[in-house]
Each structure stands twice: as C-alpha cells, then as structure tokens.
Amino acid sequence: MKNQWRISPQRQPPKAMIRISGYVLLLLLLIMPLSSQARELSSQQSSNNEAVGLLAFKISSVQSDPKNLLANWSPNSATPCSWSGISCSVNSHVTTLNLTNAGLIGTLNLYNLTGALPYLKHLYLQGNSFSASDLSASSCVLESLDLSSNNISDPLPRKSFFESCNHLSYVNLSHNSIPGGSLRFGPSLLQLDLSRNTISDSTWLAYSLSTCQNLNLLNFSDNKLAGKLAVTPLSCNSLSILDLSHNLFSGEIPPSFVADSPSLKYLDLSHNNFSASFSSLDFGHCSNLTWLSLSQNRLSGIGFPLSLRNCVLLQTLNLSRNELQFKIPGALLGSLTNLRQLSLAHNLFYGEIPLELGQTCGTLQELDLSANKLTGGLPLTFTSCSSMQSLNLGNNLLSGDFLTTVVSNLQSLKYLYVPFNNITGTVPLSLANCTQLQVLDLSSNGFMGDVPSKLCSSSNPTALQKLLLADNYLSGKVPSELGSCKNLRSIDLSFNNLIGPIPLEVWTLPNLLDLVMWANNLTGEIPEGICVNGGNLETLILNNNLITGSIPQSISNCTNLIWVSLSSNRLNGEIPAGIGNLVNLAVLQMGNNSLTGKIPPEIGNCRSLIWLDLNSNNLSGPLPPELADQAGLVVPGIVSGKEFAFVRNEGGTSCRGAGGLVEFQGIRAGRLENLPMVHSCPTTRIYSGMTVYTFITNGSMIFLDLAYNSLSGTIPQNFGSMSYLQVLNLGHNKLSGNIPDSFGGLKAIGVLDLSHNDLQGFLPGSLGTLSFLSDLDVSNNNLTGPIPSGGQLTTFPQSRYENNSGLCGVPLLPCSSGGHPQSFTTRGKKQSVEEGVVIGITFFVLCLFGLTLALYRVKRYQRKEEQREKYIDSLPTSGSSSWKLSGVPEPLSINIATFEKPLRKLTFAHLLEATNGFSADSLIGPFRRPTMIQVMAMFKELQVDSESDILDGFSLKDASIDEFREKESSS
C-alpha cells in the first residue's frame, strides 16, 4: 500500500478561550500607555520638586543677582532644564548647576541644595560672593564641586560634604578664607585644591599625604601652614601634582621627600622658609618629575645633589632666591637635556657660566642667571640655543663681546635682559638680527657712542616693544629711525648724554606708552598733538633736561597718563586746564620751570592724583580749594609697582622745595652723584624703591609742594580734609589770612612748611594733635599769640618760629599775661649762688656721663656698620631733627660734598617713613620727642610687573598648574 501524506485540519479552540484572550490583549493595550504616563508623571513630579528646590535656593541663598542671571528661574516654567546654568539628563533630572562668575551674593546652604537635587553630579559656584551657612550634605551623588573664589570663612564641619558625597572626584575650595576644621575624604577623590585660604592646621596636610589613596592633585599653596614638613607622600601612588608653595614651612625638607614620591610630575615648595643644605636632598629614581620649584627659600650648600641627574624628564627647574654659593654645576645641569626653563637667579653663584650648560640648548627656552656674581661672558656653546626665548643675565659682573658673538645668533629670542653688568663698547647693531626681540634691556652698563639707529627699519621690521638703555654713556641725538619701530611701547634713555630735540617720529609712534628720557641735555619743545598723532601715553618723564616752550594743550588727550614729570626744564607759559581730564594721573611734577599764570582749579578733577609738585615757578593767584576735592575719594592702585627714587633736600629755606621724585628703573644709585638736583643743597637724602599705596580706599593726596611761587590769598579750609597728606609745602609765597584750624585733620602730616608768607593770627591749637608732625616751619610770617603747648609744637627749634614778632612761648620767649613776649628782664627771682653751683656741678657730671655713653655707642655702631641691612636718612626741611627706623643704630648722613660710597638700596617705604617721622620713637638729636610708629609709607618693596618677572623666575606662564594640567591632558 502506497503511503500517502496529508495535512490534518487543526483542532479549533473553544469560543470561550478566544473571548478570554481578547480581553487580556485589550487589557494589556490599555495598561501600557498608563504605565508610560505614570513614569512620565513620576519624572515630571521629580522635575517639579527639583524646580521647587532651585527656586528655594534662589530665594533663600541669593541675596543679590547683579547680572540678572537667574531672571528666567520662574515657577511658571514647565521644567528647570531651560533655566540659566542648568543642565539635565535625558530623564529631565538636574545633573549640573553651573553659576560660574555670575557675581551672585548670598549664603550657601549645601545641605538643602543637595537634598533638593538628588541627581546633581556637578556643582560649579566659583567666582561669586557666597558665604557658607552649612557645608554638610545629605546623601548625594556629587562628583565635582567647585566653590572657589567666594567668601567662605567658616571651618569645615565635622560631617561635611566630603563624608556624605561618596562619589566626589574633584573638589576646589581655593581663594576663600577657610581657616581649617575637619577634613576626611574617601577613595573616590582625585583632585583637591585648598589653595589661597587661611589654613594653619598642619594635620590637614599630614592627613592628606598619609591617606591620599587615589589623589593625583593636592594643592595647599598660599595658606598659613608652618613648622617642619614631617610627612612624605610615601603612600601617594597616584599623586602627580603637589603644591605647598607660599606657606610658612621651615627647617629642612625631608631628604627622601622626592624619592618617596615616584609618581610626582609637578612639585612646588617655593616661597617658604626651608633651610639646610640643598645637596642633602635625595631625588631617587626621579622617573616622572618634570616641574620643580624650590625658589624663595633659604637653601644653602656648596653643591647640587648628584641624584638630580636622574630627573631626565625635568623641564622646569627653579632654584632662584636661595643662598646657594658655588660655581654653577655645568656637567650635571647639562645632562638634563629636556630642560626648557632654568632659573638660578638671586643666589651667590660665582665664576664663569659653564660651557657644559650649553648642552641643554636643544630644548632650553628660558634661562635666568640674574643677580649673582658671575663673570666673563656667555659661552659660544649657547649659539646653538635655537629655541631660546628669554635670557636674563642682569645684575652680574659680565663683560666681553658675547652680545655680538652669541646673543645676536639667537633667532627665537624675545626677551633679553642684561642690565647692571660691565659691558662696554657700542650697542651691537647685530642685535637687529633678533627679529623676534620684544624687550631689549641694556641699562646700567658702560655703553658709549650713539643710540643704535638700525634696530628697526622698513626693510627689517622687528617686534621690539621695549628699548631700555638708561644709565649708560650714550651721546648724540635720539635717532629719528626709532620711528620705524612701530611696535615700540616703552623707551627709556635716561641718564645718558643725549642732546637735541626728541624727533617727531618718536612722538608719533602709534603704540608708545612710556617715554622716559630724564637726566640728559635734550632741547626742543614738546610738540602740539601728542596723544593725537601717536600713542596714548601712560608715562611722560623728561625732567632734568633743557626742554623749552610751553606745555601743549593736547596733553588733555593723554587720558591714560599716570605719571608726568617735566621738572627742572625751561618750560614757560600756563599750565593747561585740560590736565583736569587726566583721571588716571597720579604723579604730576612741573617744578623748577618758568611757568606762569594761575594753578588751574581743574587739576582738582584728577581723581587719582596723589603727588603734585609745582614748586619754584612764577605761578600767581589764589590756592584753588578744588585741589582737595578728591580727598577721601582717591582709589589706590594706579601707580603701584613703579621703581623710582626720592631726592630729599635738607638745608632749610636755602633749598628750593621739599625734594624731587624721579623714575629710577635700571639706574645705579651712584650715578645720582652727578645729578644737579642732588647738589642743590648742602646735604641731600636719597631713597629708592617700589611704589605701594598705604591706603586701601578713601585716600587723598600725599605730597603737595607749591613753594617758591607768588601765590596769594588765604589757605583753603578744605586742605585740612586731606587726611593722608604727608608733605605740605606752601612756603615762600604771598599767602595771607589765618592758618586754618582744619589743619588738625591732617592726621598723617609729617612735613608742614608755611614759612615766608604773610600769614596772621594765632597758631591753631589743633596743630598740637598732629602726632606724626616731625617738621614744622612757620617762620617769617606775622603770627601772634602763644605757641600751643600741646603735642610736639614746643619741641621744634626757635628757627621754625623766628621773625614772627607776636609769637611767644616755648621755644621762644615766655608770654606775658597779655599773651605777648615777656622781656628777659622780668624772669622772676635770680637763682642763688649756691643753686648755681649745684646745678653747674650736676650739669658737668651729666655731660661727662653722656659723653662716655656716646663714645661707647659710636664704637659699637662702627663695629656693626657693615652688618647692617637697613638704612634710612633724616629728612627734615630744615633744622637738626632726624628720623630713623627702629632697629637701626644710627641714621647715615650723606653730604654730597663728600659723596664717597654708593647708596644702599631701600624700599620707598623708608622715604615717606622718614618724611613722616614714622619711627620717631627712636628720634635722635637735641629735640628728642616720642611719637607713635606707623607704617604709612606710599612706597615699599613689591613684586615686579609681569614683564619683569624674569628677574625672579620665569616670564612665560606655561609652568602654572592650570597649564600644566592642559599639557598633561594633551600628552
């Protein structure tokens, strides 16, 4: 039988089953959209909760929103995901809140914020003004937290966000005022920045280095950590960046500190007080270190550690400003063939620059050997430094022709600093080969001949921005070819022997900011059109020349001017009223000219003016009360960081004016010996340094010298409102009326000269309240009545009050009952012979004792003279009073007729310290009077500006931590 295949019909399901299946399917179709809607509702509800939390943050934590950044944070919004600073996940949950640099002011409650935003991963609030009411946190998922640059000043709580947020990998609390508190963090943390706070608890550092776990960045710089560095990063297997700079650590650096940190790539221990020998450090295998700074410490020794040669990847080495005293180890440093920046500045290295150091030329970009005792020149091996961009050899004893043979071949060179050396000859024209050169500083050498005219030309354009040739022996005229240097911003040719006018091509340079050519024999006029046809000048310093003509009206267009010094020239005409437009003008000096007319009251509009010197002219008319209009309104900062000297006249009324302020960058102090203004008085005091303001806000003028003119009228009452005025010289005029009682408001006054006028009336009793008044001269007036007995008025010599026929009282003749001088014939009872004998014997014994004590002190002073580091001179207008700093045995007098030794450099704080008598607790001389010590000097030492940073280290900023991170991320 043949098999047959066929398909059997399927068995049909019961109708009831079909009906049930249909119901189930229908139910599923109904449930699925409901479930999706439920999820959407849940997400929407969560989003609404987060919106409510953000609005609560806006209301409770933000008191001010000056940029109106949170304007679109509205309860009417469907979702906060579109609000400023908000980023959300795909599920519409807030994951990032970024209000960086929003300018917000308020109080941060981190606990409430993280509780309201349960999905928040990144919180960036840097650059605001938040204080912190609560830095704890509820259970959170934060990964990144940046609260830097705010106003957080409370200690971290015991249960801070560090412990609650277990996923934190990045925390930045820098630029606040956090004093300490409790620090505990988990293994998730990778980067911790606590720099620029006020942390003094060293246990924070000890904890961080001993339990650093997975940290790769730790920054405690610019805090108040002190004591010895007792812990090494031995357990920090991942730590690559460690910054402990700008603290107060002392003692030795643990010898194995670097060797115990094999993962370190960036180490900064600069600006501390570490001592001991540098050679004792062990760098171990040093297989990863690329950036090392130990500058600004007190490391000493006679050699480098040999293990330093193991740091073959080292790119930056900064050992500046220590006490290293030996020859530069050329072979060791030459083996570091990856070096890009090397600074050995401000040490005690001696001898010649080693040939082997040139072996680093393959990569070397910056070399700073300034402020040592190096001799010779730059070896020929450096001609191969094709990548060299910055070379600083200033303040050494270098000589020779290396500028021609070596430096002129460095095609990539941008910054060349060789001031204060012994280089002679002419300025090499071959330097024009360095077409990328931006700064050329050859100040304070022995160059002769003409100012080079071919540094720039139309066929050979250069990038030259600064030309600094001050304090040499250059002669001839200022070359008009400098007008081809279209990028020039600063020209300093001071203290040379230049003649002739300043070429119009220089005046019209399009980018010129600083024109400094004082102490030459320049002639000609200042052209009309300055700052119109050329650059907008910031500094115009041409004092001590032979410039004629009038001050151009177009000076009113120089709205960026900060410092104008045209003193000691042959200028005539009137002072332009347009000077009142110069709102940035801080120093205005036009003394010792032949200016006529009235003092423009518009000068009172100069809201930054702190120094006004118009002495020794032919000015007439009244004293403008507008000169005091800015009292209490002057904001500091305009003239900070300028280097200059103050030549203080001491010789009483035989000297014109209180003295002169001169720009002093790049000039040897000894060269001032030949300056005519120094010889204008029998004795002159000279101070040099950097400028820093003494007031934070609400300042006023500090120096006002209008002496030796023909000013008339009364002294304005509002002059007494200049509370920071330290020198006021109105002597030798035709002023009349009374001395204002408001002068009691001159709380900072140190020198007050009103002599040789027609002033009348009484000496105000308020002058007795001036506790810093150290030099007063009201002689040669028509004053009457008793000299007030309060304060220091009775301690000045008679010469300060003489030729006032109606004045009486100490130190003049006693007053009669009517307030007039009492005759010598009515002094009361005569002393008995016995009393005279007793007094005479007592006086003789006291004199003998005083002479013995004085001889002893002189001997002791002579023994300590060479060890003394501080120095300050006396600065009275006349008379014999003196000033000195506490801790200085005696003040040094400089008689210009016997100018035998160079001046020691001072901070300019000493200038006004002396002018104000701020250390009058140690006054010497016959009129000893104690006063409070107060540091109110305008000038003191300051970090140099950005382009002078090369003197202290490196000019390029690619060694900073932020850019170091960028390098690491790109490599």
Side-chain angles (χ1 to χ4, degrees):
M1 182 175 176
K2 192 175 183 178
N3 291 332
Q4 295 181 347
W5 297 88
R6 63 185 180 90
I7 299 176
S8 302
Q10 293 182 349
R11 186 175 180 181
Q12 299 296 320
K15 293 182 180 181
M17 184 65 72
I18 294 174
R19 194 178 298 113
I20 293 173
S21 298
Y23 291 152
V24 172
L25 181 61
L26 179 62
L27 184 61
L28 287 174
L29 290 174
L30 291 173
I31 291 177
M32 287 178 64
L34 290 175
S35 176
S36 176
Q37 291 177 8
R39 285 196 300 270
E40 290 180 4
L41 287 173
S42 175
S43 178
Q44 185 177 1
Q45 181 64 36
S46 176
S47 179
N48 289 337
N49 290 339
E50 292 174 359
V52 170
L54 287 169
L55 290 173
F57 165 77
K58 176 183 177 181
I59 295 172
S60 63
S61 293
V62 179
Q63 282 123 36
S64 176
D65 180 12
K67 298 181 181 180
N68 213 22
L69 188 69
L70 307 183
N72 65 346
W73 285 30
S74 170
N76 298 324
S77 302
T79 173
C81 296
S82 60
W83 293 356
S84 299
I86 303 296
S87 297
C88 293
S89 66
V90 293
N91 296 325
S92 299
H93 293 303
V94 176
T95 57
T96 300
L97 174 57
N98 188 346
L99 300 177
T100 299
N101 296 323
L104 302 176
I105 301 173
T107 303
L108 176 64
N109 189 313
L110 193 60
Y111 184 90
N112 292 342
L113 185 60
T114 55
L117 304 174
Y119 300 96
L120 187 65
K121 293 184 177 181
H122 310 288
L123 177 59
Y124 304 113
L125 298 179
Q126 67 264 36
N128 290 287
S129 296
F130 282 113
S131 58
S133 63
D134 190 350
L135 286 180
S136 63
S138 61
S139 180
C140 71
V141 294
L142 272 178
E143 297 176 4
S144 302
L145 175 63
D146 193 338
L147 303 180
S148 61
S149 299
N150 278 282
N151 293 329
I152 302 173
S153 58
D154 293 328
L156 292 185
R158 182 174 298 276
K159 292 186 178 180
S160 68
F161 60 87
F162 277 108
E163 296 186 18
S164 304
C165 304
N166 298 322
H167 302 283
L168 272 176
S169 62
Y170 171 83
V171 175
N172 189 347
L173 299 177
S174 65
H175 292 79
N176 282 288
S177 300
I178 300 172
S182 177
L183 178 65
R184 291 290 184 272
F185 54 80
S188 64
L189 193 62
L190 303 179
Q191 297 188 359
L192 175 60
D193 191 345
L194 296 169
S195 61
R196 298 202 176 190
N197 280 283
T198 58
I199 300 168
S200 58
D201 187 355
S202 296
T203 61
W204 276 38
L205 176 61
Y207 169 80
S208 300
L209 290 179
S210 59
T211 59
C212 50
Q213 303 178 71
N214 296 313
L215 271 179
N216 60 56
L217 182 149
L218 181 61
N219 191 349
F220 272 93
S221 64
D222 206 354
N223 277 284
K224 296 182 178 180
L225 298 173
K228 292 186 176 181
L229 187 59
V231 182
T232 67
L234 184 61
S235 63
C236 302
N237 297 324
S238 302
L239 191 63
S240 61
I241 298 176
L242 177 60
D243 192 345
L244 304 180
S245 62
H246 293 272
N247 277 286
L248 303 171
F249 289 113
S250 58
E252 66 175 10
I253 301 171
S256 62
F257 192 87
V258 180
D260 288 346
S261 315
S263 61
L264 271 181
K265 295 180 179 180
Y266 179 109
L267 176 61
D268 193 347
L269 301 179
S270 64
H271 293 267
N272 281 284
N273 293 313
F274 289 118
S275 56
S277 175
F278 176 52
S279 59
S280 65
L281 284 179
D282 180 11
F283 285 87
H285 295 295
C286 195
S287 55
N288 291 300
L289 194 64
T290 60
W291 202 101
L292 174 64
S293 179
L294 301 175
S295 65
Q296 297 270 11
N297 282 287
R298 295 188 295 115
L299 300 177
S300 58
I302 56 173
F304 277 41
L306 295 179
S307 56
L308 183 62
R309 68 173 65 247
N310 298 332
C311 303
V312 293
L313 298 181
L314 197 62
Q315 297 180 9
T316 296
L317 176 60
N318 190 348
L319 300 175
S320 62
R321 295 186 180 272
N322 279 285
E323 300 170 6
L324 304 174
Q325 186 175 4
F326 43 86
K327 291 185 177 181
I328 296 176
L332 189 151
L333 293 175
S335 65
L336 303 176
T337 55
N338 286 301
L339 268 183
R340 295 183 181 179
Q341 292 97 19
L342 173 63
S343 179
L344 304 178
H346 290 270
N347 279 284
L348 300 171
F349 291 110
Y350 58 87
E352 296 187 351
I353 300 173
L355 295 171
E356 299 87 346
L357 194 57
Q359 296 174 6
T360 61
C361 277
T363 56
L364 196 62
Q365 297 176 359
E366 299 183 19
L367 177 63
D368 189 352
L369 303 179
S370 62
N372 283 287
K373 298 180 179 180
L374 301 174
T375 56
L378 191 64
L380 288 172
T381 53
F382 281 86
T383 56
S384 61
C385 289
S386 58
S387 300
M388 183 80 75
Q389 297 181 24
S390 177
L391 177 62
N392 191 344
L393 303 175
N395 295 78
N396 279 289
L397 305 171
L398 300 177
S399 59
D401 60 352
F402 65 91
L403 291 177
T404 301
T405 59
V406 180
V407 175
S408 296
N409 296 309
L410 305 180
Q411 299 296 315
S412 300
L413 195 63
K414 295 181 179 179
Y415 308 98
L416 175 60
Y417 297 88
V418 202
F420 296 96
N421 278 287
N422 298 325
I423 308 171
T424 57
T426 59
V427 178
L429 296 178
S430 56
L431 289 174
N433 296 333
C434 304
T435 56
Q436 297 189 46
L437 196 63
Q438 297 179 21
V439 177
L440 174 60
D441 188 353
L442 304 180
S443 305
S444 290
N445 279 282
F447 290 108
M448 304 178 70
D450 296 336
V451 176
S453 61
K454 296 182 179 180
L455 288 176
C456 307
S457 66
S458 56
S459 60
N460 184 25
T462 68
L464 192 63
Q465 297 181 11
K466 279 193 172 186
L467 177 61
L468 310 176
L469 300 176
D471 191 18
N472 281 286
Y473 300 94
L474 301 174
S475 57
K477 296 183 177 182
V478 179
S480 59
E481 289 83 356
L482 288 179
S484 300
C485 302
K486 299 301 183 183
N487 293 308
L488 263 180
R489 299 163 61 90
S490 298
I491 303 175
D492 190 348
L493 304 178
S494 304
F495 257 96
N496 282 286
N497 300 314
L498 302 176
I499 60 174
I502 300 173
L504 185 62
E505 291 84 352
V506 172
W507 286 108
T508 56
L509 281 167
N511 297 299
L512 190 62
L513 299 179
D514 304 309
L515 183 59
V516 184
M517 297 186 185
W518 70 283
N520 281 285
N521 295 306
L522 298 173
T523 56
E525 299 183 2
I526 302 173
E528 189 66 53
I530 60 171
C531 299
V532 176
N533 301 320
N536 201 342
L537 290 171
E538 293 181 357
T539 304
L540 179 62
I541 301 179
L542 301 175
N543 53 283
N544 296 89
N545 279 290
L546 305 172
I547 297 173
T548 56
S550 61
I551 301 169
Q553 295 294 327
S554 58
I555 196 171
S556 62
N557 296 299
C558 302
T559 52
N560 290 337
L561 270 175
I562 296 173
W563 187 358
V564 175
S565 183
L566 302 175
S567 300
S568 299
N569 278 286
R570 298 178 178 179
L571 297 172
N572 53 43
E574 297 185 355
I575 300 173
I579 287 181
N581 297 334
L582 310 182
V583 295
N584 294 322
L585 188 64
V587 178
L588 177 60
Q589 298 185 105
M590 295 181 176
N592 196 22
N593 281 286
S594 298
L595 300 174
T596 57
K598 298 180 179 180
I599 298 175
E602 289 83 359
I603 293 180
N605 296 330
C606 299
R607 62 190 184 200
S608 302
L609 191 63
I610 58 174
W611 194 289
L612 178 60
D613 187 353
L614 303 177
N615 88 87
S616 302
N617 279 286
N618 297 318
L619 300 172
S620 58
L623 282 174
E626 290 85 356
L627 294 181
D629 279 357
Q630 303 300 324
L633 302 175
V634 177
V635 177
I638 287 292
V639 78
S640 292
K642 299 288 185 180
E643 183 178 355
F644 43 97
F646 182 74
V647 180
R648 175 73 175 121
N649 294 334
E650 181 179 321
T653 56
S654 64
C655 298
R656 284 181 170 266
L661 190 68
V662 293
E663 190 271 344
F664 205 59
Q665 183 174 356
I667 297 174
R668 297 181 193 269
R671 286 294 297 274
L672 285 177
E673 179 183 0
N674 298 321
L675 190 65
M677 67 182 296
V678 173
H679 294 270
S680 61
C681 284
T683 305
T684 303
R685 304 292 184 259
I686 305 173
Y687 306 84
S688 67
M690 293 283 185
T691 58
V692 167
Y693 285 79
T694 59
F695 48 82
I696 300 176
T697 186
N698 301 328
S700 71
M701 199 179 297
I702 68 168
F703 185 101
L704 178 58
D705 190 347
L706 305 177
Y708 287 92
N709 282 286
S710 298
L711 302 173
S712 58
T714 61
I715 301 174
Q717 284 283 341
N718 66 345
F719 272 32
S721 65
M722 294 186 282
S723 56
Y724 287 92
L725 191 64
Q726 300 171 1
V727 175
L728 176 59
N729 191 349
L730 303 177
H732 292 266
N733 280 288
K734 299 178 181 179
L735 301 174
S736 58
N738 297 330
I739 299 175
D741 189 65
S742 63
F743 271 20
L746 301 175
K747 299 301 183 182
I749 199 73
V751 174
L752 178 59
D753 190 345
L754 305 176
S755 65
H756 292 83
N757 280 288
D758 296 321
L759 299 173
Q760 303 169 352
F762 294 90
L763 272 177
S766 60
L767 295 181
T769 66
L770 304 178
S771 56
F772 295 106
L773 184 60
S774 299
D775 195 0
L776 172 69
D777 195 342
V778 294
S779 64
N780 296 280
N781 281 286
N782 297 313
L783 299 173
T784 58
I787 297 173
S789 58
Q792 304 182 87
L793 299 185
T794 59
T795 66
F796 294 108
Q798 292 183 13
S799 60
R800 307 300 179 86
Y801 300 102
E802 64 186 5
N803 295 327
N804 287 282
S805 59
L807 275 183
C808 58
V810 179
L812 302 179
L813 299 179
C815 297
S816 64
S817 59
H820 298 286
Q822 185 176 344
S823 171
F824 273 105
T825 60
T826 58
R827 291 189 176 184
K829 296 181 179 180
K830 294 184 178 180
Q831 293 178 336
S832 65
V833 176
E834 293 82 0
E835 289 174 335
V837 171
V838 172
I839 292 175
I841 294 174
T842 304
F843 178 76
F844 175 77
V845 171
L846 290 175
C847 287
L848 185 62
F849 175 77
L851 179 62
T852 303
L853 180 61
L855 289 173
Y856 169 74
R857 294 186 65 184
V858 167
K859 288 291 185 182
R860 186 174 65 174
Y861 162 70
Q862 291 175 345
R863 287 195 301 267
K864 294 184 177 180
E865 182 180 10
E866 295 304 321
Q867 285 78 31
R868 181 173 56 242
E869 297 179 353
K870 293 183 179 179
Y871 163 75
I872 194 165
D873 292 317
S874 57
L875 289 181
T877 303
S878 58
S880 57
S881 298
S882 302
W883 291 257
K884 64 175 183 176
L885 286 173
S886 56
V888 179
E890 298 288 346
L892 296 180
S893 295
I894 301 176
N895 192 317
I896 298 302
T898 57
F899 200 110
E900 298 178 349
K901 52 187 176 182
L903 300 175
R904 303 180 184 181
K905 187 168 183 179
L906 306 177
T907 65
F908 220 83
H910 300 165
L911 154 64
L912 293 179
E913 193 163 10
T915 309
N916 245 2
F918 296 147
S919 292
D921 62 324
S922 55
L923 281 170
I924 65 170
F927 302 100
R928 185 183 299 269
R929 51 189 182 276
T931 59
M932 295 183 294
I933 302 175
Q934 184 177 15
V935 179
M936 298 181 64
M938 168 185 170
F939 306 105
K940 65 182 179 180
E941 279 192 280
L942 177 78
Q943 290 186 13
V944 292
D945 59 28
S946 60
E947 289 182 337
S948 297
D949 280 345
I950 303 176
L951 295 175
D952 295 333
F954 305 126
S955 63
L956 301 181
K957 304 303 181 185
D958 57 353
S960 66
I961 288 183
D962 292 337
E963 297 190 13
F964 184 87
R965 296 176 188 168
E966 294 178 7
K967 288 183 179 181
E968 289 300 307
S969 62
S970 62
S971 61

